[in-house]
Amino acid sequence: MLTDSDMGHDYSLNALQKENELLKTRIQSLEGILNNVPAMLYTHQNSTKTVNWCNRYMEDVTGYTMAEMNNMGLDFFKDIMHPDDFDLAVIAQQSFKENKNVFGGVLRFRKRGTDNWCWLAGIAIPYTRDEQGNVNEVICAFVDMTMAMDTNDQLTEAMLDVMRRKHEDVISKLTPREKEILKLSVKGLNNKEIAAALNLSRYTIETHRKNIRIKLKVRNTTELIALARKVGYQ
């Protein structure tokens, strides 16, 4: 004969079993979504760049299994990333060590055993932290830019806008006087003419222009003017 206690136990067990089945269904659904999202989704250890988890799409487009990625550590990224872009992985790693909250970038990669490079655009954010608050794991999402084939004009405009904003950030490092000199330089004035227009010595103008080139990381006046025109200086 079942007691009230037995019936209560059976009810609790049935409830737990139903809850467990519901969780399994939700997990399977989530795994299905993650594996079919047309983007490279993965998490990695920030200190070692070791991939901890990735979706099936990433395995398909890179040609590596998750186990292989994990065993290779940083060498996995060296293998798939273009040599000229690999520094981005190191820069991102360092930026999170310095507690940056987000890192975005554009880079080239190629599938295992192929020679063709593809462009990726992606973003990485801290996922877990240790007891000291340092970033432990990072979650990343990268999309093949060729998937934007139906919006080529918009993609081009978006990239130009990104570059313009980047150049504007660089220009913002200049002092008001340096910006004034830059504007006159773009108009074609030489050091002597700028000095006369601003009632300054030629030596002072030369010093300012040297500092401007250093801040903007350009080698000569031609590169300086080209950069200034990209952000709207005419």
Side-chain angles (χ1 to χ4, degrees):
M1 180 176 179
L2 292 176
T3 65
D4 291 342
S5 177
D6 291 332
M7 293 179 64
H9 176 75
D10 289 341
Y11 175 80
S12 298
L13 182 59
N14 288 334
L16 287 173
Q17 289 175 335
K18 289 182 179 180
E19 184 176 350
N20 186 50
E21 289 300 320
L22 181 59
L23 286 173
K24 284 183 179 180
T25 301
R26 289 178 176 175
I27 290 173
Q28 290 173 351
S29 177
L30 180 59
E31 287 179 341
I33 292 172
L34 293 176
N35 284 327
N36 287 283
V37 169
M40 295 168 58
L41 305 176
Y42 65 97
T43 63
H44 69 261
Q45 293 291 128
N46 191 52
S47 60
T48 61
K49 293 291 288 188
T50 300
V51 174
N52 299 327
W53 170 88
C54 74
N55 63 344
R56 189 169 58 229
Y57 180 87
M58 183 167 175
E59 291 183 318
D60 292 341
V61 298
T62 63
Y64 290 88
T65 66
M66 184 166 61
E68 288 176 319
M69 298 178 202
N70 182 268
N71 290 331
M72 293 173 68
L74 189 60
D75 287 338
F76 164 69
F77 294 97
K78 288 182 179 178
D79 279 5
I80 70 167
M81 291 178 66
H82 192 284
D84 293 342
D85 300 336
F86 179 71
D87 284 348
L88 286 174
V90 180
I91 293 172
Q93 182 183 46
Q94 184 59 38
S95 70
F96 289 123
K97 287 182 180 179
E98 297 171 356
N99 291 319
K100 186 172 182 178
N101 292 323
V102 62
F103 186 90
V106 176
L107 55 88
R108 287 159 288 184
F109 95 104
R110 63 182 175 189
K111 185 174 182 177
R112 186 181 199 171
T114 65
D115 296 323
N116 297 324
W117 295 100
C118 301
W119 283 99
L120 295 178
I123 191 170
I125 59 173
Y127 178 50
T128 62
R129 297 178 182 269
D130 60 23
E131 294 178 354
Q132 288 71 44
N134 300 314
V135 175
N136 185 25
E137 291 179 291
V138 177
I139 186 168
C140 306
F142 281 86
V143 177
D144 187 341
M145 294 175 65
T146 57
M147 295 177 65
M149 66 185 102
D150 295 323
T151 57
N152 282 334
D153 292 342
Q154 290 89 339
L155 179 61
T156 300
E157 187 63 29
M159 294 306 298
L160 290 173
D161 186 54
V162 168
M163 291 303 298
R164 178 181 59 78
R165 294 187 185 189
K166 180 179 179 181
H167 293 321
E168 285 178 347
D169 289 341
V170 174
I171 295 292
S172 68
K173 297 177 182 179
L174 302 181
T175 66
R177 176 64 80 184
E178 289 170 343
K179 290 179 181 178
E180 193 173 18
I181 292 172
L182 179 59
K183 289 179 181 179
L184 294 175
S185 297
V186 172
K187 291 181 179 180
L189 277 66
N190 58 35
N191 289 346
K192 182 178 180 180
E193 292 168 333
I194 295 174
L198 300 179
N199 195 27
L200 297 171
S201 71
R202 183 172 179 174
Y203 173 78
T204 298
I205 300 302
E206 290 174 352
T207 300
H208 277 305
R209 291 186 67 162
K210 179 181 179 181
N211 291 336
I212 292 172
R213 287 196 298 273
I214 292 174
K215 287 184 178 181
L216 302 187
K217 297 180 181 180
V218 295
R219 294 169 294 182
N220 50 52
T221 300
T222 301
E223 290 183 1
L224 176 66
I225 292 176
L227 175 59
R229 285 177 174 166
K230 286 179 180 179
V231 297
Y233 282 61
Q234 301 296 332

